[in-house]
């Protein structure tokens, strides 16, 4: 056996799993996974979390000490000018100073930094949840567009078959030219409907590709997800979660501002060297004098407390909006489910029965091909409306299940 043949066989064997995977329809779970993996918004949100985490690590630290080097009392005029050794008051000095923050102040700053980190983590979850939701909605549109194309393609196939049959009947003098002309127009209508459905499917598949990065050949059916409770939906709603974190950040910022009522002390120690004289050591403490705390520090605290009150109001409003959204989606889903059941009983089943009766009548020469085509076309139209209702129901259920932060994306 030749080496090129063996190499080709090995490559073929290695590609078989990939070919099998490509032949499998894309599932909704896999589509969501692909969308999150390639989402640049999710990557940006994760970078924000990393930035906040790194900043939080230094929030509780003391400021860097300050090295101080200089020359004191250097003569500027006279015969000893610029000399560092002739005057007893001239001293070369080196020292260090340190601003001191109290433990309470450092703890407050660290808590504020941790709140910012939690907010960034929540926003990362919100970004991932939005990506998953938009991907699932695009998946639903693409799936039902494919189902619609299957219906119109079947109708197109029937129209071509019936036209050929009518032409054969006309050739054998069993049919009429009017029947042929009617079915010719019906075939043109079916071709146009298939072209329109194909265009819709292509647009829906391209919209899905924007999220998952691949153009799927086939899509698996959408699995049913149990809707969350109203309490769980509102508690995990992206707007509510985001505003909760904003309230925590504002509250901690107000706490930090409150600690500014206590000034930061700075201590300093220095060593002075004099040539021919005794060296000197200096030490001291600097204390800022809060001349008008009611006009400065207290106003800063009041400003931060007002921002916290604003965030609290926005959180309450976000909860109301989320509650209204949940009730609307649940109502829509319930009504769509009722409409689908009623539509199947009152329209889909009679349309199928009409098609079956027309088929039996045509086979017994009691109905024309045009009558059979009309029955089939009416059934397809009923099925198209049913697909529209099912798609709307799927979109409502997807929003109920994926708009709130699920366990996969919760911070």
């Amino acid at each position: 056996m030749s080496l090129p043949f063996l190499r080709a066989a090995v490559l073929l064997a290695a590609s078989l799993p990939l070919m099998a995977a490509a032949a499998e329809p894309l599932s909704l779970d896999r589509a969501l996974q692909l969308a999150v993996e390639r989402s640049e918004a999710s990557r940006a949100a994760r970078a924000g979390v990393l930035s906040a985490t790194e900043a939080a690590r230094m929030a509780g630290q003391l400021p860097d000490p300050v090295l101080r080097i200089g020359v004191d009392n250097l003569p500027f005029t006279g015969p000893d000018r610029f000399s560092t050794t002739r005057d007893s008051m001239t001293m070369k000095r080196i020292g260090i100073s340190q601003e001191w923050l109290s433990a309470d102040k450092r703890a407050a700053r660290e808590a504020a930094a941790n709140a910012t980190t939690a907010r960034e983590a929540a926003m990362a979850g919100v970004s991932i949840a939005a990506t998953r939701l938009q991907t699932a909605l695009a998946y639903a549109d693409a799936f039902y567009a494919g189902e619609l194309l299957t219906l119109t393609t079947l109708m197109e196939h029937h129209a071509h078959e019936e036209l050929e049959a009518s032409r054969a009947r006309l050739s054998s003098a069993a049919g009429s030219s009017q029947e042929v002309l009617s079915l010719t127009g019906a075939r043109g209508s079916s071709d146009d409907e298939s072209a329109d459905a194909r265009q819709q499917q292509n647009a829906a598949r391209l919209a899905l590709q924007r999220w998952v990065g691949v153009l799927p050949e086939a899509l698996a059916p959408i699995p049913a997800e149990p809707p969350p409770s109203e309490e769980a939906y509102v508690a995990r709603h992206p707007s509510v979660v985001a505003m909760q974190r904003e309230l925590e950040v504002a509250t901690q910022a107000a706490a930090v501002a409150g600690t500014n009522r206590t000034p930061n002390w700075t201590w300093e120690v220095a060593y002075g060297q004099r040539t021919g004289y005794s060296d000197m050591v200096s030490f001291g403490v600097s204390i800022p004098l809060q001349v008008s705390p009611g006009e400065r520090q207290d106003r800063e605290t009041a400003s931060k407390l007002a921002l916290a009150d604003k965030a609290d109001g926005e959180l309450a409003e976000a909860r109301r909006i989320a509650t209204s959204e949940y009730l609307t989606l649940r109502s829509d889903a319930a009504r769509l489910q009722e409409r689908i059941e009623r539509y199947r009983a009152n329209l889909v089943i009679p349309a199928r029965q009409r098609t079956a009766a027309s088929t039996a009548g045509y086979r017994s020469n009691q109905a024309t091909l045009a009558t059979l085509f009309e029955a089939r076309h009416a059934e397809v139209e009923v099925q198209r409306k049913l697909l529209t209702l099912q798609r709307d129901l799927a979109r409502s259920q997807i929003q109920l299940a994926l708009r709130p932060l699920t366990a996969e994306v919760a911070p």
Side-chain angles (χ1 to χ4, degrees):
M1 188 177 294
S2 64
L3 182 59
F5 180 80
L6 288 174
R7 185 177 301 167
V10 171
L11 291 175
L12 178 61
S15 64
L16 284 177
L18 296 177
M19 295 170 62
E24 294 178 358
L26 179 67
S27 66
L28 178 58
D29 288 341
R30 179 56 179 162
L32 297 179
Q33 181 182 357
L34 289 174
V36 172
E37 289 176 355
R38 71 185 302 272
S39 172
E40 292 297 328
S42 300
R43 184 173 68 89
R46 288 191 292 268
V49 175
L50 179 61
S51 174
T53 302
E54 295 297 332
R57 292 177 179 176
M58 67 176 184
Q61 305 296 319
L62 288 173
D64 290 333
V66 179
L67 177 65
R68 301 182 180 276
I69 300 176
V71 177
D72 295 335
N73 303 320
L74 180 68
F76 184 69
T77 60
D80 296 337
R81 62 181 179 179
F82 303 128
S83 174
T84 60
T85 60
R86 296 178 183 177
D87 195 298
S88 62
M89 295 183 65
T90 302
M91 179 173 60
K92 292 174 283 189
R93 172 179 47 81
I94 183 171
I96 189 171
S97 64
Q98 173 68 63
E99 182 182 6
W100 182 261
L101 278 71
S102 66
D104 292 341
K105 185 172 290 189
R106 280 180 286 159
R109 293 187 177 186
E110 188 172 2
N114 290 333
T116 301
T117 301
R119 179 187 63 185
E120 292 298 328
M123 295 310 297
V126 169
S127 177
I128 294 174
T131 298
R132 286 166 55 87
L133 174 61
Q134 294 303 320
T135 302
L137 292 175
Y139 186 98
D141 290 341
F143 175 79
Y144 284 102
E147 294 295 298
L148 174 60
L149 179 60
T150 301
L151 272 180
T152 56
T153 302
L154 178 62
M155 192 61 200
E156 182 183 6
H157 177 69
H158 287 327
H160 281 265
E161 284 185 344
E162 289 158 3
L163 178 60
E164 293 301 322
S166 68
R167 287 174 177 171
R169 285 167 56 86
L170 180 62
S171 300
S172 63
S176 65
S177 59
Q178 183 179 0
E179 183 181 61
V180 173
L181 292 175
S182 175
L183 290 175
T184 300
R187 184 191 66 174
S189 176
S190 297
D191 291 346
D192 183 69
E193 289 176 357
S194 291
D196 181 60
R198 194 170 290 108
Q199 180 180 351
Q200 293 181 29
Q201 188 206 31
N202 185 60
R205 290 172 69 225
L206 289 175
L208 179 59
Q209 184 187 21
R210 172 256 186 272
W211 296 102
V212 301
V214 296
L215 195 63
E217 293 297 331
L219 299 176
I222 301 174
E225 294 288 343
S229 64
E230 178 181 341
E231 181 180 359
Y233 183 93
V234 172
R236 299 200 304 262
H237 193 277
S239 298
V240 173
V241 172
M243 289 314 306
Q244 283 176 335
R245 296 295 182 265
E246 288 290 348
L247 176 59
E248 292 175 6
V249 170
T251 302
Q252 294 300 331
V256 171
T259 62
N260 291 335
R261 210 49 167 78
T262 304
N264 300 333
W265 291 25
T266 301
W267 58 263
E268 179 181 359
V269 61
Y271 181 83
Q273 183 185 52
R274 299 189 300 171
T275 303
Y277 300 96
S278 300
D279 294 342
M280 300 288 186
V281 173
S282 302
F283 59 89
V285 176
S286 299
I287 304 175
L289 298 178
Q290 296 182 353
V291 179
S292 181
E295 296 298 323
R296 295 180 182 175
Q297 288 80 12
D298 290 351
R299 289 189 179 274
E300 179 187 9
T301 303
S303 172
K304 300 299 183 182
L305 288 173
L307 291 177
D309 188 56
K310 174 187 174 184
D312 186 57
E314 291 176 344
L315 173 60
E317 186 64 24
R319 286 198 176 104
R320 291 179 182 176
I321 294 174
T323 301
S324 175
E325 184 180 280
Y326 175 83
L327 295 176
T328 300
L329 289 172
R330 280 301 302 267
S331 176
D332 289 346
R335 291 181 180 275
L336 284 167
Q337 188 65 51
E338 292 176 0
R339 288 182 62 189
I340 288 173
E341 294 174 358
R342 186 167 57 247
Y343 196 83
R344 280 176 175 157
N346 297 338
L347 292 172
V348 175
I349 295 177
R352 289 176 180 171
Q353 293 173 346
R354 178 187 173 187
T355 301
S358 298
T359 302
Y362 171 72
R363 289 174 178 172
S364 61
N365 292 324
Q366 295 180 357
T368 64
L369 277 172
T371 302
L372 175 59
F373 178 81
E374 288 176 2
R376 286 176 170 174
H377 188 268
E379 182 181 359
V380 169
E381 287 300 317
V382 169
Q383 292 287 355
R384 289 181 65 167
K385 181 63 179 295
L386 178 62
L387 282 177
T388 301
L389 293 175
Q390 290 175 332
R391 182 200 63 190
D392 293 343
L393 175 60
R395 289 177 64 89
S396 296
Q397 291 174 338
I398 285 172
Q399 292 182 74
L400 279 171
L402 295 182
R403 188 178 296 280
L405 274 65
T406 59
E408 292 84 355
V409 300

